[in-house]
Amino acid sequence: MESVFKIICPTDFSECSLNAIEYAAKLGEKYQAALILFHVPDKEDYQKLAAQELSNGQSYEFVEKKLENLVKTVSEESIPKGLKSCTAVIREGKIVSSILDFAKEENANLLVIGTEGINDFKKNYVGTRTAKVVERAEIDVLAIPRRVYFKVPRKLVYATDYLEEDKLAIQKISELAGFFDAEIDLVHVSTKVKSIDKSLHQTMIQELKPFIKYPKVNFVLKAYRDDAGLGLENYLITAKGDILVTLSKKKTWFEQIFDKNISRKMSYFINKPLYVVKKV
């Protein structure tokens, strides 16, 4: 029996987590997935959301009601369009480890999680809960910044360093792109520190092509004098990419993009969804 694609979407009822739910539901429609909204109780958050403090004796009734309403809204909107189911789970514990443990228990395929985006980045993006989930997760993670509302993606930009794992990762991303008939730009940014010439680039393309069955893939070599991440940002802006995709592998784009010392000018990354391929 074919297993059901499973999406976990943590929520704390903030604006960015509600945006993440919208993305999770829309992807769930395409994957015909089971969507689970996951909440870890946080007393400070409750005090912000509720008019008065919740006592321990209330057993999270306030939150249970909010989750129930979210499940109802998502179900009414997305189940007729292909989503298999939408449910909610509350679990006490530390937020990051609880999310990761639950995703593992459920044998989930994808985590969709909100992030405060540029505001968090300016403080220290690497230290945020979302970044910790991305770093430690064993499955793919789609991070949705605050104020980034769902729109049909027309172009996915896959940042590549031409690793062996790219061959399988691109196949996975091709499925996602195919749902929306979107293009994939496979982009390598060459710098003075790490450069490849056009002939080597063509050789790498020829190695990858047999593994790519999707017709709308463009191969791009960009030269950028300084930081590769800033070069990629520049490409994202000019090419009007909708989702940035990167393979989380040591010494690759993921580390370059989220290096804590990187320029704060790189705001574009965190004002677009980021899809991190973790498992290929």
Side-chain angles (χ1 to χ4, degrees), residues 37-95:
L37 308 183
F38 184 70
H39 179 74
V40 180
D42 186 305
K43 185 177 179 181
E44 290 183 10
D45 288 343
Y46 291 173
Q47 289 174 352
K48 294 175 187 176
L49 290 164
Q52 53 186 321
E53 290 187 21
L54 296 176
S55 66
N56 293 332
Q58 287 182 287
S59 302
Y60 311 125
E61 290 176 10
F62 164 72
V63 173
E64 288 171 352
K65 185 64 176 176
K66 291 186 75 69
L67 282 171
E68 181 184 320
N69 290 337
L70 282 173
V71 167
K72 182 181 178 182
T73 300
V74 171
S75 297
E76 290 176 350
E77 174 69 24
S78 293
I79 286 180
K81 298 176 183 177
L83 183 70
K84 186 174 180 64
S85 63
C86 181
T87 56
V89 172
I90 299 175
R91 177 172 294 184
E92 296 184 4
K94 294 184 178 179
I95 293 176

Side-chain angles (χ1 to χ4, degrees), residues 121-134:
F121 181 73
K122 285 182 177 178
K123 294 174 186 174
N124 179 1
Y125 191 84
V126 175
T128 67
R129 287 171 178 167
T130 299
K132 288 177 181 176
V133 169
V134 172

Side-chain angles (χ1 to χ4, degrees), residues 17 26 35 60 75 96 101 103 105 116 133 135 156-157 159 187 197-198 202 224 229 254:
S17 74
K26 294 297 185 184
L35 171 59
Y60 311 125
S75 297
V96 173
D101 290 345
E105 288 170 21
E116 287 297 323
V133 169
E135 181 183 356
L156 280 61
V157 175
V187 182
D197 58 26
K198 289 182 179 179
Q202 287 300 319
Y224 198 81
F254 182 69

Side-chain angles (χ1 to χ4, degrees), residues 190-208:
S190 181
T191 67
K192 62 184 179 182
V193 175
K194 188 173 184 179
S195 63
I196 64 172
D197 58 26
K198 289 182 179 179
S199 61
L200 181 55
H201 185 245
Q202 287 300 319
T203 300
M204 292 176 170
I205 290 172
Q206 294 308 313
E207 286 187 13
L208 276 176

Side-chain angles (χ1 to χ4, degrees), residues 1 3 21 49 58 78 87 107 111 137 142-143 178 180 196 264:
M1 186 174 70
S3 60
I21 290 173
L49 290 164
Q58 287 182 287
S78 293
T87 56
N107 196 26
L111 271 165
L142 177 62
F180 303 100
I196 64 172
R264 288 185 178 181

